[in-house]
Amino acid sequence: MYRPEFFWEATWMLLAEDILHDVQRVMDNPGIGLTNDEMKNCCLQKLDNLLKDSGRSVQNFPAMPKTTYNAEQLDVTNRLILRNYVTINALYPKT
């Protein structure tokens, strides 16, 4: 792909469409929300995992944004990790 960063900016919301629903389902809390940055980060992690299957990484595309946390730190299938992540971010928002 010639300019992956433009593709990313144009499509990240489509790629991340199910992330909020997954988080709400896993946390059993339909009122929970994620910021756009948190959703982008989750989407980048999923994209990175898909790329790893073919021996690549988001790191191979210098213009692409990088994930803020690795998959072990934010795994939407792990309730405890996600609950702690959301709680910590609510208590200590980034400035």
Side-chain angles (χ1 to χ4, degrees):
M1 185 176 295
Y2 178 64
R3 304 285 301 262
E5 68 275 15
F6 290 118
F7 175 78
W8 168 256
E9 285 303 321
T11 63
W12 77 265
M13 288 188 84
L14 295 172
L15 298 170
E17 193 172 79
D18 293 329
I19 289 174
L20 183 57
H21 174 73
D22 289 345
V23 169
Q24 292 169 338
R25 181 182 48 79
V26 167
M27 295 297 294
D28 194 26
N29 182 352
I32 198 167
L34 293 175
T35 66
N36 281 349
D37 286 341
E38 290 167 330
M39 286 193 292
K40 282 182 180 181
N41 191 57
C42 290
C43 187
L44 282 167
Q45 289 173 8
K46 287 183 177 189
L47 181 60
D48 200 43
N49 287 337
L50 289 171
L51 287 169
K52 284 179 183 176
D53 289 343
S54 63
R56 306 284 314 245
S57 169
V58 171
Q59 303 293 328
N60 295 117
F61 303 92
M64 285 287 291
K66 307 302 181 242
T67 58
T68 306
Y69 307 100
N70 64 32
E72 290 79 28
Q73 291 173 309
L74 179 60
D75 179 2
V76 295
T77 61
N78 186 317
R79 292 175 189 262
L80 180 59
I81 292 173
L82 183 61
R83 184 175 292 126
N84 288 337
Y85 173 79
V86 170
T87 301
I88 288 170
N89 277 323
L91 293 173
Y92 307 102
K94 296 175 185 157
T95 56

